[in-house]
Amino acid sequence: MKPENEIILIGGGLIGLSLAVELKLRGATVTVLSRNQQEAAGLVGAGMLAPQAEQIPPGPMLDLCLRSRALYNDWTRKLEKLTGLETGYWPCGILAPVYERPDSTTLPQTPDTPSYWLEREAILQQQPGLGDDVVGGWWFPQDGQVDNRRGLVKTLYRAAQELGVKIIEEITVKTLVTSPEKVTEIITNQGNFSADHYILTTGAWAGDLLSIPVYPRKGQMLSVRVPDDFEPLPLKQVLFGSNIYIVPRRDGLIVIGATSEDVGFTCGLTPNGIETLLSGAIRLYPILKEFPIQEFWWGFRPETPDLLPLLGPSYWDNLTLAVGHYRNGILLAPVTAELISNWVLDGQYDPLFEQFRSDRFHP
Ligand code: GLY
């Protein structure tokens, strides 16, 4: 496809904006249709860049995640330079304390995936104040975080605007009109649109437009803040426990997540959800119970039956998919933008797409 051809991104969340910026930087004419920025999973998550702490097994998904983690430094610098804003990227490492000693204290390693087992004494030296029943844990120095909520999404949005991406807000795409080979137009609540190519980036809502298995997986979250008189900041790395994570930002905000609930698009917070987060976080890092609460929120991860994304070509020649990133959308944003742009603009079919094709569900 010629770069000057018009591309419509259906979905203005983190993946849609990352793609919009990349395509525009490569010379394409890009329009983003965004229904509601606030509901996008990229804004809701804690911003962990955690392929190792998440224990993604060796294989194509881990390869994709590691490729993306390796892009993060340059990608966020580029966005920061374009906009003058800060993304909050912080390669701080992730500490994963455990309450039961594992059978083996070595993990499969490559030069890109170093990991270290720390006995209780050593883990307490690295992170004082962990709970009494922590027996040890893993240190993943190459995992990290980005401040998605206050930094990355705003930076991407500004970059898209400054580069001249057309962003249409509060627009709901109702139908994709198709011929046997192509999407011919899309019908929205603000009229009909057509383009040379379309990319679906609608996250947990992808199943509303196409018959693909992407479902919402709800997560509730909260944040606390380290009191002003607490010097120096007590946490300088992410803590990744069992069903709980504690993500300290550089300015003393601490994000705590997240529940994982199969409740469809049921909105809102629940006492059970918040109680689970608070008790898990306090068990892992007890002093948190003294820190003032800042905010509660929730959102929907885009889950697929095999927990892998749907990336690359679709049944229709001019429709590409970039959905279903589940727990790893923030981590996978730069590699998704790179690989999908290579495909849409230059027809480069990355071998990794083979594992993430949508026809694995509908052969
Ligand atoms: N990435 C962590 C989560 O989805 O909760």
Side-chain angles (χ1 to χ4, degrees):
M1 151 171 194
K2 294 197 206 89
E4 68 272 18
N5 286 359
E6 177 150 3
I7 299 166
I8 290 184
L9 285 149
I10 307 168
L14 180 64
I15 298 291
L17 289 174
S18 305
L19 258 162
V21 168
E22 187 60 29
L23 291 162
K24 188 75 189 174
L25 282 171
R26 298 194 197 186
T29 304
V30 184
T31 302
V32 175
L33 307 184
S34 174
R35 184 175 61 185
N36 177 0
Q37 266 280 315
Q38 300 311 310
E39 67 189 3
L43 201 60
V44 171
M48 281 186 303
L49 309 173
Q52 291 182 260
E54 289 270 359
Q55 295 187 29
I56 297 169
M61 181 61 173
L62 182 61
D63 294 347
L64 188 75
C65 289
L66 292 176
R67 240 162 108 171
S68 209
R69 192 182 65 181
L71 291 172
Y72 241 91
N73 185 48
D74 289 354
W75 184 62
T76 48
R77 273 171 188 243
K78 177 173 78 179
L79 293 169
E80 289 174 354
K81 222 165 143 190
L82 268 169
T83 58
L85 299 179
E86 294 207 357
T87 58
Y89 169 61
W90 187 13
C92 56
I94 297 188
L95 195 61
V98 295
Y99 300 119
E100 274 175 44
R101 207 165 189 285
D103 294 338
S104 163
T105 53
T106 51
L107 290 175
Q109 309 222 15
T110 67
D112 290 338
T113 55
S115 61
Y116 304 92
W117 169 256
L118 306 178
E119 297 291 350
R120 179 169 167 85
E121 208 173 298
I123 202 169
L124 282 173
Q125 250 171 31
Q126 171 140 349
Q127 181 55 64
L130 293 173
D132 285 346
D133 49 354
V134 167
V135 297
W138 302 98
W139 170 232
F140 302 112
Q142 294 197 7
D143 278 351
Q145 61 158 304
V146 65
D147 192 344
N148 53 308
R149 211 163 154 71
R150 297 180 303 172
L152 180 62
V153 172
K154 285 189 183 127
T155 308
L156 277 166
Y157 196 90
R158 175 81 64 82
Q161 280 179 320
E162 284 182 4
L163 289 167
V165 170
K166 187 169 172 192
I167 304 177
I168 304 179
E169 302 276 6
E170 294 177 20
I171 181 166
T172 303
V173 175
K174 295 181 171 164
T175 314
L176 306 183
V177 183
T178 58
S179 72
E181 294 87 30
K182 280 179 172 281
V183 174
T184 50
E185 66 176 342
I186 55 183
I187 299 176
T188 81
N189 65 341
Q190 296 184 29
N192 299 1
F193 291 74
S194 60
D196 298 290
H197 201 97
Y198 304 84
I199 308 177
L200 191 72
T201 56
T202 44
W205 292 266
D208 291 354
L209 289 173
L210 282 186
S211 149
I212 48 176
V214 180
Y215 311 105
R217 170 68 62 167
K218 183 176 174 183
Q220 301 184 47
M221 316 264 305
L222 65 97
S223 59
V224 298
R225 177 169 281 288
V226 179
D228 286 343
D229 54 0
F230 218 100
E231 284 275 337
L233 287 178
L235 278 179
K236 296 209 168 65
Q237 63 227 325
V238 174
L239 300 181
F240 193 103
S242 160
N243 301 320
I244 194 81
Y245 44 79
I246 300 173
V247 184
R249 306 295 193 214
R250 280 194 171 107
D251 66 349
L253 189 75
I254 297 178
V255 177
I256 298 171
T259 62
S260 179
E261 301 165 63
D262 187 9
V263 293
F265 285 110
T266 307
C267 290
L269 302 159
T270 60
N272 188 30
I274 297 307
E275 198 274 333
T276 305
L277 294 179
L278 288 174
S279 59
I282 291 168
R283 180 180 180 200
L284 188 58
Y285 191 56
I287 196 167
L288 279 180
K289 62 177 179 279
E290 312 293 347
F291 293 175
I293 289 183
Q294 303 295 294
E295 199 187 348
F296 299 97
W297 67 98
W298 74 92
F300 302 104
R301 307 172 184 89
E303 183 175 1
T304 63
D306 56 9
L307 310 183
L308 302 178
L310 283 76
L311 296 177
S314 73
Y315 179 80
W316 291 279
D317 294 345
N318 62 346
L319 176 69
T320 294
L321 305 180
V323 291
H325 293 76
Y326 186 43
R327 293 178 66 92
N328 296 294
I330 296 168
L331 168 64
L332 289 173
V335 81
T336 301
E338 183 177 289
L339 298 188
I340 297 287
S341 299
N342 292 347
W343 165 245
V344 171
L345 296 181
D346 304 327
Q348 269 182 45
Y349 183 83
D350 194 281
L352 275 177
F353 282 155
E354 214 42 47
Q355 313 297 324
F356 305 119
R357 293 177 64 94
S358 59
D359 58 9
R360 68 185 188 270
F361 300 117
H362 303 288

